Amino acid sequence: MTQTDRRSFLSLMGAGAAMAATPFASAIAQAASLPARRVTGTIKDVKHIVILMQENRSFDHYFGTMRGVRGFGDRFPVPMSAGPVWQQSDGQKVIPPYHLNTQKTNAIAVPGTPHSFSDSQAAWNQGKFGFWPKYKNPYSMGYYQRDDIPFQFALAEAFTICDHYHCSITTGTDPNRIVFWSGSNHDPKLREQGINGTEADSEPNNMRCWVKGALPEPGYQYQGSAFPWLTLPDVLENAGVSWRIYQDPNDNWTGAMHGGLAFESFRNAKPGSPIYEKGMSHWSLEQFAKDVKDNALPAVSWILPNKEWSEHPSASTPLQGAEFTAGILNALTANPDVWGSTVFFQTFDENDGLFDHLPPSAPPSYAADGTLMGKSTVDLKGFYFNDPQRKFLDPSDTISGTVRPWGLSARVPMYVVSPWSKGGWVTSQVFDHTSVGQFLEKRFGVTVPAISPWHRAVCGDLTSAFDFSHVEDPAFPGLPDASGSEKAVLAQIHRKRIEPPVKPEPLIQEKGSRPSRALPYALDVKAATKAGGVELTFVNTGTAGAVFHVYDKLDLEAIPRRYTVEAGKTLSDSFTGARHDLWLLGPNGFHRAFVGTAETAGIEVTATTTPLALTVQMRNRSSASVTLTVDAEVYGLGVKTVTLAAGASRKEMFDLAKQGHWYDVSVRTEGFERRFAGRVETGAHGISDPAMAAVEQPVPAAKPEMRLPKF
């Protein structure tokens, strides 16, 4: 997008004046006050899907402090040998998350951080975490608060934010955009044959989308081989669904914003062909606004930013990204008929090197000795990247071998903006970049053949972010003025340089819940003490698959085990040893903790749920009485002591209605604990975890003796 295009677009939208005086606030308020164009009360009422993928921001970096999302108030962080997941080290000292204070420093223009395959794999550490600043640099731990990025917070408060949306690949821009535009980063035909990806048939680092030359003459000059599988535009074109990419093909960051450029269909497209005319020609944002006003908007539209408006650290800022997004929203709402039947998805291709604390759902990793650390009900052959020469791995990253899971990777923000997603909702289903393709499938009855069975099992289709049958409240909160970003950036970048604080800052998340969409999960994990260890059975009676993460707190130097369990299936695995201390994590705050010894093997505690209650069943199979503490005080349900004689059993029931069907109950005695936490899904919408930000996270001082572990 040229500067002329940008100025024309923003001028057309009235974005250069004060918010109260521009058509922006009144236009969107007017559109929001009208009902959606509801005909069937289903997804079929969506006539237009507009997609914007910005650059390189993680979820915690933007929204770790926001109320009602899985942020810094998370009570179930990944455990590490150095402490909870916030205790990330640069190899010498701890650098926990810290505030990017834009009022006193130049933090609005925080520098970029490394984000290639090698440093991303090393920082993730196959799920162990621990050394994010070491591999990503200290700026990776910086985050904004509400006052720093008011437009982004207001957009999430007005519509829906996804707090379990992940980028797809544990690396940079091109690989993630290739997934976003096609459903896969690795040739799906090879994957179906059980053949893992290599650099010849997949994209571990940026290459294939970065072009030289110009269109129409002399044309693009491409790098690397072209991928043969279908892109989303190919699928739509073959199905007769209208689409268009709004871009300046010679100002799209040398092609990097356009994941389609890695593919044969785009590289071979000639002027006059549908792919070339719709996907490689110049369609300005001014034309986008005109198409909206003229009721000529295609069914599916992609908008590509240029570098300066992409939100990419070191190249752009959140202020410029806000102004760019505001212009798109204002264009859409200029025609209430179009707005009333439109879904606008805005997400980010990857997290840069910016820290996010939530463990990404992923297939199990391999230990250094080749042991698969977990299991899956989905066949995992072909779901990995093979780097036998270690060309793409950091020399110090030896925790695993040369066969690595592609992803999922860190969370990135995803705003779902539409008449059917208003109201400050959060949806906590696991999504990734294949989810937008799955939404297109759901809406238009097409099939994106490259999306893998594993992604279809684990990553939702984004429909849980909507309520198409609901008649929405016409009241609509205004959005802050996002205009004048260039001037605002210039005013801030001369302030004091942002640096990580010498003294760690306490991590604080805004208190309070937010409305939360119903989810398809019904999960449980059962523990049975066996001779020489404990057996876990992962149970999924819901309608969506899930990944369970299991951390052995007696061996936190080991790679955590991960278990993919499809909907309606179960999976079991054993953990050996006279003692066990296992910390389990799943989606949306699902948590189990199992602690025991050989001496406590006779104590059995299980939990069952109904939509209204949690029932804890305790049984003493030992020959002596045992006294247990039953603690449900997290949600104000009390603490009691239960004594069980030899052979006795007891049930305790807890009413869940008053706390939005959230539960957290521990049963413990010396050397033994069973903890059950999560939310019971009733099929109805609810609230986010009311206990999530009840207390601030303790962040102890750095340990000077901390060093990188020896592998």
Side-chain angles (χ1 to χ4, degrees), residues 616 618 627-633 636-643 650-654 665-669:
V616 175
M618 296 163 281
T627 298
L628 302 171
T629 299
V630 182
D631 186 348
E633 189 55 32
L637 300 179
V639 180
K640 64 174 60 178
T641 299
V642 174
T643 299
R650 171 104 170 246
K651 288 183 179 180
E652 292 288 338
M653 184 175 291
F654 301 91
V665 179
S666 295
V667 179
R668 57 183 179 267
T669 190

Side-chain angles (χ1 to χ4, degrees), residues 1-7 9-10 52-55 177 210 246-258 282-283 285 303-317 320-321 323-325 328 349 485-486:
M1 179 177 57
T2 65
Q3 289 296 312
T4 301
D5 285 339
R6 188 194 71 81
R7 292 191 186 98
F9 175 62
L10 296 179
L52 170 64
M53 176 174 270
Q54 293 284 77
E55 282 281 300
R177 287 185 178 259
W210 292 81
Y246 290 91
Q247 62 162 335
D248 180 342
N250 298 319
D251 192 15
N252 56 9
W253 206 337
T254 61
M257 302 298 95
H258 194 331
H282 188 166
W283 295 95
L285 289 180
I303 296 176
L304 306 189
N306 66 359
K307 180 169 65 173
E308 290 75 14
W309 299 91
S310 67
E311 271 174 269
H312 191 301
S314 293
S316 182
T317 68
Q320 290 158 295
E323 184 170 3
F324 189 74
T325 300
I328 294 168
D349 57 359
S485 62
E486 291 172 295

Side-chain angles (χ1 to χ4, degrees), residues 184-531:
S184 180
N185 183 54
H186 167 218
D187 191 331
K189 289 187 177 180
L190 296 179
R191 184 187 66 223
E192 291 167 6
Q193 298 172 40
I195 301 172
N196 289 325
T198 68
E199 62 176 314
D201 47 62
S202 57
E203 181 96 332
N205 282 322
N206 292 347
M207 179 175 65
R208 288 173 171 86
C209 298
W210 292 81
V211 298
K212 296 181 180 180
L215 295 177
E217 298 294 342
Y220 283 158
Q221 300 170 32
Y222 298 101
Q223 302 182 74
S225 59
F227 290 143
W229 61 94
L230 296 178
T231 66
L232 299 185
D234 292 318
V235 170
L236 296 175
E237 184 65 29
N238 293 342
V241 179
S242 61
W243 63 276
R244 183 174 294 156
I245 300 173
Y246 290 91
Q247 62 162 335
D248 180 342
N250 298 319
D251 192 15
N252 56 9
W253 206 337
T254 61
M257 302 298 95
H258 194 331
L261 299 182
F263 291 87
E264 289 177 355
S265 60
F266 278 84
R267 292 188 178 189
N268 296 335
K270 304 300 182 184
S273 69
I275 293 293
Y276 188 96
E277 295 303 321
K278 299 176 184 180
M280 300 185 75
S281 299
H282 188 166
W283 295 95
S284 68
L285 289 180
E286 186 176 11
Q287 182 63 50
F288 171 78
K290 184 176 185 300
D291 288 345
V292 172
K293 286 189 174 183
D294 294 345
N295 293 305
L297 193 66
V300 181
S301 303
W302 285 269
I303 296 176
L304 306 189
N306 66 359
K307 180 169 65 173
E308 290 75 14
W309 299 91
S310 67
E311 271 174 269
H312 191 301
S314 293
S316 182
T317 68
L319 299 181
Q320 290 158 295
E323 184 170 3
F324 189 74
T325 300
I328 294 168
L329 290 176
N330 204 34
L332 285 171
T333 57
N335 185 335
D337 286 341
V338 171
W339 168 247
S341 58
T342 294
V343 167
F344 173 52
F345 291 121
Q346 182 186 336
T347 189
F348 294 75
D349 57 359
E350 37 107 350
N351 60 302
D352 204 76
L354 297 163
F355 174 74
D356 186 77
H357 81 279
L358 204 69
S361 297
S365 296
Y366 287 94
D369 64 2
T371 302
L372 188 64
M373 300 298 287
K375 296 182 178 181
S376 172
T377 62
V378 180
D379 187 350
L380 296 177
K381 293 178 181 177
F383 280 79
Y384 295 82
F385 175 65
N386 189 12
D387 181 20
Q389 304 302 317
R390 296 188 59 88
K391 179 178 178 180
F392 300 97
L393 292 173
D394 188 283
S396 67
D397 180 11
T398 57
I399 189 173
S400 180
T402 60
V403 177
R404 302 294 180 95
W406 278 119
L408 306 180
S409 188
R411 290 182 302 169
V412 292
M414 163 61 99
Y415 314 93
V416 180
V417 182
S418 82
W420 303 281
S421 57
K422 293 189 310 182
W425 291 86
V426 61
T427 184
S428 299
Q429 186 174 1
V430 173
F431 303 119
D432 86 316
H433 293 332
T434 71
S435 297
V436 174
Q438 292 185 63
F439 187 85
L440 297 181
E441 290 182 326
K442 193 83 169 181
R443 169 57 188 89
F444 298 113
V446 299
T447 298
V448 181
I451 299 176
S452 78
W454 187 89
H455 286 86
R456 292 189 184 280
V458 172
C459 303
D461 60 14
L462 287 164
T463 55
S464 64
F466 300 89
D467 187 346
F468 294 109
S469 65
H470 181 63
V471 178
E472 74 279 355
D473 183 347
F476 184 81
L479 295 179
D481 183 9
S483 63
S485 62
E486 291 172 295
K487 182 178 180 180
V489 171
L490 288 173
Q492 294 189 36
I493 61 175
H494 300 295
R495 294 174 182 165
K496 178 184 175 183
R497 179 182 174 87
I498 181 67
E499 297 287 354
V502 175
K503 182 179 179 180
E505 303 170 349
L507 273 181
I508 301 173
Q509 183 174 353
E510 299 169 345
K511 294 181 180 180
S513 297
R514 66 193 317 104
S516 175
R517 292 296 189 191
L519 300 176
Y521 299 122
L523 308 174
D524 194 13
V525 181
K526 302 179 185 299
T529 303
K530 304 286 186 181

Side-chain angles (χ1 to χ4, degrees), residues 116-159:
S116 67
F117 187 86
S118 62
D119 55 77
S120 298
Q121 283 281 318
W124 176 49
N125 209 7
Q126 302 306 301
K128 275 186 57 182
F129 290 81
F131 294 94
W132 209 281
K134 165 69 177 179
Y135 294 104
K136 298 291 194 177
N137 87 34
Y139 288 113
S140 66
M141 303 305 294
Y143 65 84
Y144 294 112
Q145 296 179 357
R146 182 180 295 269
D147 291 344
D148 303 305
I149 50 172
F151 182 87
Q152 283 81 358
F153 268 70
L155 189 62
E157 299 279 12
F159 293 98

Side-chain angles (χ1 to χ4, degrees), residues 567-589:
K569 295 189 178 182
T570 62
L571 194 61
S572 296
D573 204 3
S574 296
F575 293 75
T576 59
R579 300 169 55 215
H580 60 272
D581 188 349
L582 304 175
W583 182 269
L584 283 74
L585 301 175
N588 195 31

Side-chain angles (χ1 to χ4, degrees), residues 43-60:
I43 193 174
K44 295 298 184 183
D45 290 338
V46 177
K47 304 303 180 187
H48 308 285
I49 300 169
V50 178
I51 303 165
L52 170 64
M53 176 174 270
Q54 293 284 77
E55 282 281 300
N56 293 43
R57 304 285 176 170
S58 80
F59 188 88
D60 276 347

Side-chain angles (χ1 to χ4, degrees), residues 163-199:
D163 69 350
H164 281 58
Y165 186 104
H166 296 258
C167 53
S168 297
I169 306 291
T170 310
T171 178
T173 288
D174 280 10
N176 278 287
R177 287 185 178 259
I178 286 168
V179 175
F180 192 65
W181 285 75
S182 75
S184 180
N185 183 54
H186 167 218
D187 191 331
K189 289 187 177 180
L190 296 179
R191 184 187 66 223
E192 291 167 6
Q193 298 172 40
I195 301 172
N196 289 325
T198 68
E199 62 176 314

